[in-house]
Amino acid sequence: MDSIQEDAVYGEELDVDDEELNEFAKHLGIDPIKEQGLMWICRMALDAPVPEGWSAFEDGDGHTYYFHAETQSSSWDHPSDGYFRQLLSWCRQQQSMATSLTSGSNEAIRMNRELNATIDKLKQKYEELKLAAGKVGAENDALAEKAAWMEAKLKSAEEEHAAEIA
């Protein structure tokens, strides 16, 4: 079973068609027709790196599943889906509060600015987390390469020892 390499960068075009995007939006609880303004959450979730401790794999049919080595748990859902559902709920609450105020009021304008600032902070935090996940991935690759080298050296030493004994 081979681990999937996740190397998409947030903000780049995702390699999914509209149907896949809309299906994933429904998976998160977004109505892709009525809630176009929340589709950024769907795109962000599709682009989310696998959190530390989790690995992504494909089954024999090409379906992705996730495995956490420490807890020995697996899931068909991305481990971050819950976070994005909470983000979706929070955004809906904020939108609801903002639209309940009269559109021209200073309070609505203030809340809209706060919401936009919070969304910008969340996007920045996401970028930081993705960068950190990339660094962890690079460290894991380096460790795997070193382990393979050590295994080859061990095998060579075992073969030399076996030849000396024989």
Side-chain angles (χ1 to χ4, degrees):
M1 108 180 59
D2 294 326
S3 180
I4 296 173
Q5 212 38 273
E6 299 211 11
D7 55 6
V9 175
Y10 178 72
E12 287 185 6
E13 284 296 316
L14 295 172
D15 190 23
V16 295
D17 60 31
D18 287 343
E19 184 178 337
E20 290 173 299
L21 184 65
N22 290 340
E23 283 301 312
F24 190 74
K26 292 173 188 174
H27 167 75
L28 288 178
I30 299 172
D31 182 326
I33 295 170
K34 295 179 182 176
E35 297 181 299
Q36 279 293 312
L38 296 174
M39 290 298 285
W40 64 270
I41 296 172
C42 180
R43 287 181 184 88
M44 190 180 279
L46 277 169
D47 197 30
V50 178
E52 188 173 337
W54 287 89
S55 298
F57 297 94
E58 284 188 5
D59 67 7
D61 296 325
H63 299 106
T64 303
Y65 68 95
Y66 303 90
F67 179 73
H68 192 274
E70 185 177 324
T71 62
Q72 295 293 300
S73 60
S74 62
S75 172
W76 290 107
D77 290 338
H78 190 285
S80 298
D81 282 358
Y83 165 79
F84 289 105
R85 286 189 181 101
Q86 287 177 340
L87 177 60
L88 174 63
S89 175
W90 182 84
C91 287
R92 284 180 176 147
Q93 288 173 342
Q94 296 301 309
Q95 285 178 337
S96 177
M97 288 190 312
T99 56
S100 69
L101 301 169
T102 56
S103 61
S105 75
N106 287 335
E107 185 63 15
I109 293 169
R110 182 191 66 74
M111 288 182 73
N112 189 39
R113 285 183 182 144
E114 284 181 16
L115 176 60
N116 287 335
T118 301
I119 288 170
D120 289 343
K121 287 178 186 175
L122 288 168
K123 288 179 180 178
Q124 181 180 1
K125 183 64 176 173
Y126 171 78
E127 289 298 326
E128 291 169 4
L129 290 171
K130 188 163 185 177
L131 180 62
K135 289 179 182 176
V136 168
E139 290 172 5
N140 285 344
D141 291 345
L143 287 172
E145 189 175 305
K146 187 171 185 173
W149 177 83
M150 291 176 76
E151 186 177 348
K153 290 292 269 183
L154 177 61
K155 185 176 182 178
S156 174
E158 287 173 341
E159 288 171 356
E160 285 177 25
H161 180 69
E164 288 175 1
I165 293 174

